[in-house]
Structure formats: structure tokens, C-alpha cells
Amino acid sequence: MKGLLLKDFYMAMKYCRAYVVIAVVFSLLSIWGNTSFLLAYPVLLASVIPVNLISYDEKSRWSSYSGVFPYSRQRLVSVKYLMALIFLAFAIVLVLIGQIARMLLNNTFDVNVVLSLVALLPAMGILAPSLMLPAIFKFGAEKGRIVFYVIICGFCAAFGVLGAIGEEADLANLMISMQSRLIPVITSVSVVLLAASWLLSIKVYKKKEI
């Protein structure tokens, strides 16, 4: 598994550098512009990196060549989910740094808002790969991108609506309200969805002809 993780990490650093740069830029912009879009976009970018890695794997025919290595299909699937979680954690740290810096600069630091972000952002980041990866493993990166584009459009539409919440006070009140009501439910559903997606992708990929 370590070898697979390193392989995907090197690929991500070669082909997905722009994603990292964009995530850093948006996190910096969130220090001065506190909108839902600026908070969520780096997380969304990180969560779709595995889709790009699968696409490059298919172009290089890695799926066929991997058969000569002692890697099970379960591990080939699992490494993509692990990469999604690793880059998701990186994006969340960037967003949290930006938001904490913003609150400190404005003397509005609120630990409840930080805790709400810690709970909500992973749930949001988990949603995209959980919905996309089973379709990608089933139909391949090209056909599976239909699901990818639908989800991206859905997220952008949701962020556009939430982007209307522009003032920090409003966003803080929303976070505090969600912390005690919706966030526990959203987090629980996201974890269950991730586990179900992971198992489904393994099942689908084991039956796929390569």
C-alpha cells in the first residue's frame, strides 16, 4: 500500500500542482473575503484529485500493468480513497488557517465557529468522492466524468446560494446554529456514505474486466 500511495502522490505533485496553488490562493483570499465559496472551493478541489489520478492511470494503462505486481484490486481502489482523504485534510488545514487568521485580525475569534468548520468541511469534502468514485471505477474516467460534472455543477450552485452570506457575523451565526443541529447529522451521513461508496467501488472494480 505504501508503494501505491507514493506512486499516486508523485503523480499528484506532477499533474495536479495547479490544484494545490489554487487551494492556497483561495485560502488566502478567505482571510479578506469571508464567503462560503472561498471556504468550500479548496475542499472541493482536493476531493476530486483522485478522479484525475484515475484518468492518468487509464491513459498510461496502469490498470493492466498493475496485474504483474502483488496488488489486489481492493488496494488499487482503497488507495484512491486514501488519497482523497489525505488531500482533503491538507485543504481543510489551509482553510482553517485562513479563517483563524481572519478572525484574529478582526478580533472576532470564536472557537465555536472553528469547531463547526472542523466538523462541516470534512463532511462536504467526503461527499464528492463518495458519489463520483463508484461511477468512475464502473464506467472509467471518461464516461464517469458525466457524474463528475453534475456534482461539480451542483456544488457550485450550492456555494453560489450560500455565497449570499457575505458578512462574517452572519456566517458565524450560521456555523454556531448548525453546530448543534445539522452538523452531527451531516457528519454521520457523510461517514456512512463514504464507507458504502468505498465498499461499492471495491465490489465494482473486482468484477470489471481490465
Side-chain angles (χ1 to χ4, degrees), residues 99-100 103-104 106-114 168:
Q99 285 305 290
I100 290 173
M103 287 188 286
L104 290 176
N106 295 332
N107 295 317
T108 57
F109 181 81
D110 190 333
V111 68
N112 289 321
V113 175
V114 176
E168 184 173 336

Side-chain angles (χ1 to χ4, degrees), residues 20-196:
V20 177
V21 174
I22 293 172
V24 172
V25 170
F26 270 73
S27 298
L28 291 174
L29 290 176
S30 69
I31 297 176
W32 296 279
N34 194 34
T35 67
S36 301
F37 183 79
L38 291 175
L39 296 178
Y41 194 65
V43 174
L44 179 61
L45 281 180
S47 66
V48 300
I49 284 178
V51 177
N52 291 275
L53 295 178
I54 293 173
S55 179
Y56 285 114
D57 280 348
E58 290 183 355
K59 289 180 180 179
S60 63
R61 301 186 63 81
W62 163 251
S63 298
S64 300
Y65 298 141
S66 63
V68 303
F69 296 101
Y71 298 135
S72 65
R73 293 199 178 187
Q74 180 177 342
R75 289 188 175 184
L76 293 174
V77 170
S78 296
V79 70
K80 303 306 181 189
Y81 281 87
L82 291 175
M83 290 299 294
L85 294 176
I86 290 171
F87 282 103
L88 176 60
F90 172 74
I92 290 172
V93 169
L94 287 178
V95 171
L96 288 176
I97 290 174
Q99 285 305 290
I100 290 173
R102 175 182 175 82
M103 287 188 286
L104 290 176
L105 288 173
N106 295 332
N107 295 317
T108 57
F109 181 81
D110 190 333
V111 68
N112 289 321
V113 175
V114 176
L115 292 176
S116 297
L117 286 172
V118 170
L120 183 60
L121 290 177
M124 293 173 58
I126 285 173
L127 184 61
S130 296
L131 295 175
M132 288 188 294
L133 288 180
I136 298 293
F137 282 114
K138 174 67 175 179
F139 302 109
E142 294 304 318
K143 293 181 179 179
R145 283 187 185 275
I146 297 175
V147 179
F148 171 82
Y149 291 131
V150 169
I151 292 174
I152 294 298
C153 291
F155 269 86
C156 290
F159 297 154
V161 173
L162 292 176
I165 306 173
E167 296 183 4
E168 184 173 336
D170 292 336
L171 184 57
N173 291 333
L174 176 65
M175 288 296 179
I176 294 172
S177 175
M178 291 183 68
Q179 185 179 21
S180 60
R181 298 178 182 179
L182 295 179
I183 288 180
V185 176
I186 293 173
T187 302
S188 300
V189 171
S190 297
V191 171
V192 172
L193 181 62
L194 175 65

